[in-house]
mmCIF file of all heavy atoms in Angstrom:
data_model
loop_
_atom_site.group_PDB
_atom_site.id
_atom_site.type_symbol
_atom_site.label_atom_id
_atom_site.label_comp_id
_atom_site.label_asym_id
_atom_site.label_seq_id
_atom_site.Cartn_x
_atom_site.Cartn_y
_atom_site.Cartn_z
ATOM 1 N N ARG A 68 132.702 147.590 85.773
ATOM 2 C CA ARG A 68 132.552 148.930 85.174
ATOM 3 C C ARG A 68 132.390 148.817 83.663
ATOM 4 O O ARG A 68 131.577 149.515 83.058
ATOM 5 C CB ARG A 68 133.743 149.816 85.522
ATOM 6 C CG ARG A 68 133.670 150.449 86.885
ATOM 7 C CD ARG A 68 134.708 151.553 87.078
ATOM 8 N NE ARG A 68 136.058 151.180 86.683
ATOM 9 C CZ ARG A 68 136.938 150.548 87.452
ATOM 10 N NH1 ARG A 68 136.600 150.197 88.675
ATOM 11 N NH2 ARG A 68 138.152 150.264 87.009
ATOM 12 N N ASN A 69 133.177 147.931 83.046
ATOM 13 C CA ASN A 69 133.057 147.734 81.598
ATOM 14 C C ASN A 69 131.673 147.193 81.230
ATOM 15 O O ASN A 69 131.095 147.583 80.221
ATOM 16 C CB ASN A 69 134.150 146.800 81.080
ATOM 17 C CG ASN A 69 135.505 147.466 81.015
ATOM 18 O OD1 ASN A 69 135.586 148.695 80.927
ATOM 19 N ND2 ASN A 69 136.561 146.681 81.071
ATOM 20 N N CYS A 70 131.155 146.312 82.057
ATOM 21 C CA CYS A 70 129.813 145.785 81.814
ATOM 22 C C CYS A 70 128.778 146.900 81.849
ATOM 23 O O CYS A 70 127.853 146.934 81.026
ATOM 24 C CB CYS A 70 129.462 144.715 82.845
ATOM 25 S SG CYS A 70 130.336 143.161 82.584
ATOM 26 N N LEU A 71 128.925 147.803 82.797
ATOM 27 C CA LEU A 71 127.997 148.936 82.878
ATOM 28 C C LEU A 71 128.078 149.788 81.611
ATOM 29 O O LEU A 71 127.048 150.241 81.089
ATOM 30 C CB LEU A 71 128.282 149.783 84.115
ATOM 31 C CG LEU A 71 128.017 149.117 85.460
ATOM 32 C CD1 LEU A 71 128.415 150.049 86.604
ATOM 33 C CD2 LEU A 71 126.561 148.702 85.598
ATOM 34 N N ARG A 72 129.289 149.982 81.105
ATOM 35 C CA ARG A 72 129.437 150.741 79.851
ATOM 36 C C ARG A 72 128.757 150.015 78.683
ATOM 37 O O ARG A 72 128.108 150.638 77.851
ATOM 38 C CB ARG A 72 130.924 150.953 79.553
ATOM 39 C CG ARG A 72 131.574 151.932 80.490
ATOM 40 C CD ARG A 72 133.039 152.165 80.092
ATOM 41 N NE ARG A 72 133.678 152.964 81.101
ATOM 42 C CZ ARG A 72 134.720 152.555 81.816
ATOM 43 N NH1 ARG A 72 135.263 151.368 81.605
ATOM 44 N NH2 ARG A 72 135.244 153.344 82.727
ATOM 45 N N PHE A 73 128.930 148.692 78.633
ATOM 46 C CA PHE A 73 128.286 147.917 77.567
ATOM 47 C C PHE A 73 126.764 147.991 77.675
ATOM 48 O O PHE A 73 126.063 148.056 76.666
ATOM 49 C CB PHE A 73 128.747 146.459 77.586
ATOM 50 C CG PHE A 73 130.076 146.248 76.938
ATOM 51 C CD1 PHE A 73 131.196 145.938 77.700
ATOM 52 C CD2 PHE A 73 130.221 146.347 75.559
ATOM 53 C CE1 PHE A 73 132.428 145.742 77.108
ATOM 54 C CE2 PHE A 73 131.449 146.144 74.953
ATOM 55 C CZ PHE A 73 132.559 145.847 75.733
ATOM 56 N N LEU A 74 126.260 147.962 78.898
ATOM 57 C CA LEU A 74 124.803 148.082 79.087
ATOM 58 C C LEU A 74 124.294 149.414 78.566
ATOM 59 O O LEU A 74 123.270 149.476 77.874
ATOM 60 C CB LEU A 74 124.443 147.913 80.562
ATOM 61 C CG LEU A 74 124.554 146.512 81.132
ATOM 62 C CD1 LEU A 74 124.362 146.537 82.643
ATOM 63 C CD2 LEU A 74 123.549 145.587 80.480
ATOM 64 N N LYS A 75 125.008 150.489 78.901
ATOM 65 C CA LYS A 75 124.601 151.817 78.425
ATOM 66 C C LYS A 75 124.661 151.888 76.904
ATOM 67 O O LYS A 75 123.765 152.432 76.262
ATOM 68 C CB LYS A 75 125.497 152.893 79.037
ATOM 69 C CG LYS A 75 125.268 153.115 80.512
ATOM 70 C CD LYS A 75 126.251 154.133 81.076
ATOM 71 C CE LYS A 75 126.097 154.284 82.563
ATOM 72 N NZ LYS A 75 127.101 155.203 83.128
ATOM 73 N N ALA A 76 125.723 151.321 76.325
ATOM 74 C CA ALA A 76 125.864 151.320 74.865
ATOM 75 C C ALA A 76 124.744 150.513 74.211
ATOM 76 O O ALA A 76 124.173 150.935 73.195
ATOM 77 C CB ALA A 76 127.227 150.761 74.476
ATOM 78 N N HIS A 77 124.415 149.370 74.789
ATOM 79 C CA HIS A 77 123.354 148.540 74.227
ATOM 80 C C HIS A 77 122.015 149.271 74.269
ATOM 81 O O HIS A 77 121.254 149.240 73.294
ATOM 82 C CB HIS A 77 123.268 147.207 74.974
ATOM 83 C CG HIS A 77 122.312 146.250 74.362
ATOM 84 N ND1 HIS A 77 121.016 146.117 74.801
ATOM 85 C CD2 HIS A 77 122.459 145.384 73.323
ATOM 86 C CE1 HIS A 77 120.404 145.204 74.065
ATOM 87 N NE2 HIS A 77 121.256 144.748 73.165
ATOM 88 N N ALA A 78 121.732 149.920 75.392
ATOM 89 C CA ALA A 78 120.486 150.690 75.499
ATOM 90 C C ALA A 78 120.456 151.781 74.432
ATOM 91 O O ALA A 78 119.426 151.990 73.772
ATOM 92 C CB ALA A 78 120.359 151.291 76.895
ATOM 93 N N TRP A 79 121.567 152.454 74.234
ATOM 94 C CA TRP A 79 121.636 153.522 73.237
ATOM 95 C C TRP A 79 121.404 152.964 71.839
ATOM 96 O O TRP A 79 120.675 153.544 71.036
ATOM 97 C CB TRP A 79 122.991 154.224 73.327
ATOM 98 C CG TRP A 79 123.121 155.348 72.354
ATOM 99 C CD1 TRP A 79 122.614 156.601 72.472
ATOM 100 C CD2 TRP A 79 123.780 155.295 71.083
ATOM 101 N NE1 TRP A 79 122.920 157.337 71.357
ATOM 102 C CE2 TRP A 79 123.642 156.560 70.488
ATOM 103 C CE3 TRP A 79 124.487 154.304 70.415
ATOM 104 C CZ2 TRP A 79 124.182 156.863 69.242
ATOM 105 C CZ3 TRP A 79 125.018 154.606 69.171
ATOM 106 C CH2 TRP A 79 124.862 155.871 68.602
ATOM 107 N N LEU A 80 122.025 151.810 71.544
ATOM 108 C CA LEU A 80 121.832 151.187 70.231
ATOM 109 C C LEU A 80 120.383 150.754 70.009
ATOM 110 O O LEU A 80 119.915 150.683 68.872
ATOM 111 C CB LEU A 80 122.760 149.979 70.071
ATOM 112 C CG LEU A 80 124.237 150.311 69.896
ATOM 113 C CD1 LEU A 80 125.078 149.048 69.995
ATOM 114 C CD2 LEU A 80 124.484 151.023 68.573
ATOM 115 N N GLU A 81 119.688 150.466 71.113
ATOM 116 C CA GLU A 81 118.275 150.093 71.030
ATOM 117 C C GLU A 81 117.363 151.329 71.000
ATOM 118 O O GLU A 81 116.144 151.198 70.990
ATOM 119 C CB GLU A 81 117.893 149.199 72.215
ATOM 120 C CG GLU A 81 118.568 147.839 72.212
ATOM 121 C CD GLU A 81 118.062 146.938 71.099
ATOM 122 O OE1 GLU A 81 116.836 146.916 70.859
ATOM 123 O OE2 GLU A 81 118.893 146.263 70.468
ATOM 124 N N GLY A 82 117.964 152.519 71.018
ATOM 125 C CA GLY A 82 117.193 153.752 70.916
ATOM 126 C C GLY A 82 116.671 154.269 72.250
ATOM 127 O O GLY A 82 115.733 155.055 72.282
ATOM 128 N N ARG A 83 117.287 153.849 73.335
ATOM 129 C CA ARG A 83 116.858 154.288 74.662
ATOM 130 C C ARG A 83 117.991 155.021 75.366
ATOM 131 O O ARG A 83 119.165 154.764 75.105
ATOM 132 C CB ARG A 83 116.428 153.090 75.512
ATOM 133 C CG ARG A 83 115.158 152.441 75.023
ATOM 134 C CD ARG A 83 114.739 151.246 75.872
ATOM 135 N NE ARG A 83 115.381 150.033 75.352
ATOM 136 C CZ ARG A 83 116.380 149.401 75.939
ATOM 137 N NH1 ARG A 83 116.845 149.806 77.090
ATOM 138 N NH2 ARG A 83 116.918 148.325 75.393
ATOM 139 N N ASN A 84 117.635 155.909 76.268
ATOM 140 C CA ASN A 84 118.620 156.626 77.067
ATOM 141 C C ASN A 84 118.855 155.950 78.409
ATOM 142 O O ASN A 84 119.769 156.327 79.135
ATOM 143 C CB ASN A 84 118.175 158.073 77.318
ATOM 144 C CG ASN A 84 118.151 158.877 76.043
ATOM 145 O OD1 ASN A 84 118.954 158.653 75.151
ATOM 146 N ND2 ASN A 84 117.214 159.806 75.948
ATOM 147 N N VAL A 85 118.016 154.979 78.732
ATOM 148 C CA VAL A 85 118.081 154.310 80.022
ATOM 149 C C VAL A 85 118.217 152.801 79.798
ATOM 150 O O VAL A 85 117.579 152.237 78.915
ATOM 151 C CB VAL A 85 116.797 154.601 80.843
ATOM 152 C CG1 VAL A 85 116.826 153.896 82.181
ATOM 153 C CG2 VAL A 85 116.621 156.099 81.035
ATOM 154 N N VAL A 86 119.019 152.171 80.638
ATOM 155 C CA VAL A 86 119.209 150.721 80.562
ATOM 156 C C VAL A 86 117.961 150.032 81.113
ATOM 157 O O VAL A 86 117.453 150.391 82.173
ATOM 158 C CB VAL A 86 120.454 150.284 81.375
ATOM 159 C CG1 VAL A 86 120.560 148.777 81.438
ATOM 160 C CG2 VAL A 86 121.711 150.899 80.778
ATOM 161 N N ALA A 87 117.473 149.042 80.368
ATOM 162 C CA ALA A 87 116.317 148.255 80.801
ATOM 163 C C ALA A 87 116.802 146.878 81.257
ATOM 164 O O ALA A 87 117.910 146.442 80.913
ATOM 165 C CB ALA A 87 115.331 148.103 79.646
ATOM 166 N N ASP A 88 115.978 146.195 82.024
ATOM 167 C CA ASP A 88 116.344 144.856 82.506
ATOM 168 C C ASP A 88 116.695 143.918 81.361
ATOM 169 O O ASP A 88 117.594 143.082 81.483
ATOM 170 C CB ASP A 88 115.205 144.248 83.332
ATOM 171 C CG ASP A 88 115.038 144.920 84.677
ATOM 172 O OD1 ASP A 88 115.946 145.689 85.085
ATOM 173 O OD2 ASP A 88 114.011 144.686 85.330
ATOM 174 N N ASP A 89 115.989 144.032 80.236
ATOM 175 C CA ASP A 89 116.247 143.155 79.092
ATOM 176 C C ASP A 89 117.658 143.322 78.536
ATOM 177 O O ASP A 89 118.211 142.407 77.934
ATOM 178 C CB ASP A 89 115.233 143.404 77.979
ATOM 179 C CG ASP A 89 113.853 142.867 78.314
ATOM 180 O OD1 ASP A 89 113.765 141.968 79.164
ATOM 181 O OD2 ASP A 89 112.871 143.345 77.718
ATOM 182 N N ASP A 90 118.269 144.503 78.740
ATOM 183 C CA ASP A 90 119.628 144.741 78.249
ATOM 184 C C ASP A 90 120.652 143.848 78.949
ATOM 185 O O ASP A 90 121.701 143.546 78.389
ATOM 186 C CB ASP A 90 120.028 146.211 78.462
ATOM 187 C CG ASP A 90 119.203 147.164 77.616
ATOM 188 O OD1 ASP A 90 118.883 146.812 76.467
ATOM 189 O OD2 ASP A 90 118.884 148.260 78.109
ATOM 190 N N ILE A 91 120.360 143.441 80.161
ATOM 191 C CA ILE A 91 121.304 142.656 80.956
ATOM 192 C C ILE A 91 121.673 141.349 80.253
ATOM 193 O O ILE A 91 122.754 140.801 80.468
ATOM 194 C CB ILE A 91 120.736 142.409 82.374
ATOM 195 C CG1 ILE A 91 120.675 143.746 83.124
ATOM 196 C CG2 ILE A 91 121.557 141.408 83.143
ATOM 197 C CD1 ILE A 91 119.996 143.675 84.469
ATOM 198 N N ALA A 92 120.828 140.873 79.366
ATOM 199 C CA ALA A 92 121.082 139.607 78.667
ATOM 200 C C ALA A 92 122.418 139.609 77.929
ATOM 201 O O ALA A 92 123.055 138.562 77.807
ATOM 202 C CB ALA A 92 119.946 139.298 77.707
ATOM 203 N N ILE A 93 122.866 140.762 77.463
ATOM 204 C CA ILE A 93 124.125 140.803 76.711
ATOM 205 C C ILE A 93 125.325 140.449 77.586
ATOM 206 O O ILE A 93 126.382 140.090 77.076
ATOM 207 C CB ILE A 93 124.366 142.175 76.033
ATOM 208 C CG1 ILE A 93 124.577 143.279 77.072
ATOM 209 C CG2 ILE A 93 123.253 142.506 75.070
ATOM 210 C CD1 ILE A 93 125.204 144.524 76.506
ATOM 211 N N LEU A 94 125.166 140.525 78.890
ATOM 212 C CA LEU A 94 126.285 140.249 79.794
ATOM 213 C C LEU A 94 126.582 138.760 79.936
ATOM 214 O O LEU A 94 127.628 138.391 80.459
ATOM 215 C CB LEU A 94 126.013 140.849 81.172
ATOM 216 C CG LEU A 94 125.805 142.362 81.234
ATOM 217 C CD1 LEU A 94 125.559 142.798 82.664
ATOM 218 C CD2 LEU A 94 126.987 143.096 80.620
ATOM 219 N N SER A 95 125.694 137.906 79.470
ATOM 220 C CA SER A 95 125.876 136.468 79.669
ATOM 221 C C SER A 95 127.161 135.943 79.025
ATOM 222 O O SER A 95 127.708 134.950 79.470
ATOM 223 C CB SER A 95 124.670 135.688 79.150
ATOM 224 O OG SER A 95 124.562 135.838 77.757
ATOM 225 N N ASN A 96 127.637 136.622 78.008
ATOM 226 C CA ASN A 96 128.868 136.196 77.354
ATOM 227 C C ASN A 96 130.096 136.947 77.849
ATOM 228 O O ASN A 96 131.193 136.749 77.329
ATOM 229 C CB ASN A 96 128.751 136.370 75.838
ATOM 230 C CG ASN A 96 127.732 135.440 75.252
ATOM 231 O OD1 ASN A 96 127.696 134.274 75.596
ATOM 232 N ND2 ASN A 96 126.882 135.948 74.389
ATOM 233 N N MET A 97 129.925 137.785 78.853
ATOM 234 C CA MET A 97 131.031 138.606 79.327
ATOM 235 C C MET A 97 131.471 138.273 80.747
ATOM 236 O O MET A 97 132.483 138.789 81.207
ATOM 237 C CB MET A 97 130.609 140.077 79.286
ATOM 238 C CG MET A 97 130.237 140.567 77.909
ATOM 239 S SD MET A 97 129.455 142.187 77.933
ATOM 240 C CE MET A 97 130.743 143.177 78.611
ATOM 241 N N LEU A 98 130.729 137.451 81.444
ATOM 242 C CA LEU A 98 130.963 137.301 82.874
ATOM 243 C C LEU A 98 131.572 135.971 83.295
ATOM 244 O O LEU A 98 131.827 135.761 84.470
ATOM 245 C CB LEU A 98 129.654 137.544 83.633
ATOM 246 C CG LEU A 98 129.087 138.949 83.462
ATOM 247 C CD1 LEU A 98 127.705 139.044 84.087
ATOM 248 C CD2 LEU A 98 130.019 139.974 84.067
ATOM 249 N N TRP A 99 131.827 135.086 82.377
ATOM 250 C CA TRP A 99 132.431 133.807 82.745
ATOM 251 C C TRP A 99 133.926 133.851 82.448
ATOM 252 O O TRP A 99 134.370 134.575 81.572
ATOM 253 C CB TRP A 99 131.754 132.651 82.022
ATOM 254 C CG TRP A 99 131.738 132.766 80.526
ATOM 255 C CD1 TRP A 99 130.769 133.352 79.767
ATOM 256 C CD2 TRP A 99 132.745 132.302 79.617
ATOM 257 N NE1 TRP A 99 131.109 133.276 78.437
ATOM 258 C CE2 TRP A 99 132.307 132.635 78.320
ATOM 259 C CE3 TRP A 99 133.946 131.644 79.767
ATOM 260 C CZ2 TRP A 99 133.044 132.338 77.180
ATOM 261 C CZ3 TRP A 99 134.681 131.332 78.637
ATOM 262 C CH2 TRP A 99 134.225 131.680 77.359
ATOM 263 N N THR A 100 134.683 133.076 83.219
ATOM 264 C CA THR A 100 136.120 132.997 82.997
ATOM 265 C C THR A 100 136.546 131.593 82.578
ATOM 266 O O THR A 100 137.618 131.417 82.027
ATOM 267 C CB THR A 100 136.899 133.396 84.275
ATOM 268 O OG1 THR A 100 136.420 132.618 85.363
ATOM 269 C CG2 THR A 100 136.721 134.867 84.571
ATOM 270 N N ASP A 101 135.715 130.620 82.849
ATOM 271 C CA ASP A 101 135.994 129.224 82.527
ATOM 272 C C ASP A 101 134.852 128.729 81.628
ATOM 273 O O ASP A 101 133.682 128.945 81.947
ATOM 274 C CB ASP A 101 136.044 128.410 83.829
ATOM 275 C CG ASP A 101 136.382 126.951 83.622
ATOM 276 O OD1 ASP A 101 136.422 126.497 82.463
ATOM 277 O OD2 ASP A 101 136.609 126.266 84.631
ATOM 278 N N PRO A 102 135.148 128.091 80.505
ATOM 279 C CA PRO A 102 134.076 127.636 79.608
ATOM 280 C C PRO A 102 133.004 126.791 80.299
ATOM 281 O O PRO A 102 131.866 126.770 79.857
ATOM 282 C CB PRO A 102 134.816 126.834 78.546
ATOM 283 C CG PRO A 102 136.181 127.421 78.518
ATOM 284 C CD PRO A 102 136.476 127.819 79.942
ATOM 285 N N GLU A 103 133.358 126.131 81.389
ATOM 286 C CA GLU A 103 132.365 125.340 82.118
ATOM 287 C C GLU A 103 131.327 126.222 82.809
ATOM 288 O O GLU A 103 130.274 125.744 83.223
ATOM 289 C CB GLU A 103 133.062 124.446 83.144
ATOM 290 C CG GLU A 103 133.894 123.353 82.499
ATOM 291 C CD GLU A 103 134.618 122.493 83.521
ATOM 292 O OE1 GLU A 103 134.421 122.692 84.736
ATOM 293 O OE2 GLU A 103 135.383 121.615 83.089
ATOM 294 N N GLN A 104 131.608 127.516 82.925
ATOM 295 C CA GLN A 104 130.687 128.445 83.583
ATOM 296 C C GLN A 104 129.667 129.047 82.619
ATOM 297 O O GLN A 104 128.745 129.735 83.055
ATOM 298 C CB GLN A 104 131.464 129.597 84.226
ATOM 299 C CG GLN A 104 132.376 129.208 85.347
ATOM 300 C CD GLN A 104 133.191 130.392 85.843
ATOM 301 O OE1 GLN A 104 133.667 131.211 85.059
ATOM 302 N NE2 GLN A 104 133.333 130.477 87.159
ATOM 303 N N ILE A 105 129.815 128.792 81.337
ATOM 304 C CA ILE A 105 128.963 129.458 80.343
ATOM 305 C C ILE A 105 127.487 129.203 80.602
ATOM 306 O O ILE A 105 126.690 130.145 80.671
ATOM 307 C CB ILE A 105 129.352 129.033 78.910
ATOM 308 C CG1 ILE A 105 130.753 129.540 78.579
ATOM 309 C CG2 ILE A 105 128.337 129.553 77.893
ATOM 310 C CD1 ILE A 105 131.306 129.024 77.262
#
């Protein structure tokens, strides 16, 4: 759910009202729990 909020915020910061596929890139630093998963 937090990731979805970050996606919406990123789209808004990019001047869009809708999340685009390119926005998903910001999640790469949010979804790992072990540094080996980066």
Side-chain angles (χ1 to χ4, degrees):
R68 279 193 311 275
N69 285 336
C70 287
L71 294 177
R72 289 183 187 119
F73 280 109
L74 288 172
K75 289 176 184 176
H77 186 264
W79 181 79
L80 288 170
E81 294 291 318
R83 291 180 272 107
N84 293 327
V85 179
V86 173
D88 289 347
D89 287 338
D90 294 323
I91 293 174
I93 66 163
L94 300 180
S95 65
N96 293 316
M97 300 169 62
L98 298 172
W99 56 270
T100 53
D101 182 351
E103 292 178 4
Q104 295 175 320
I105 294 172

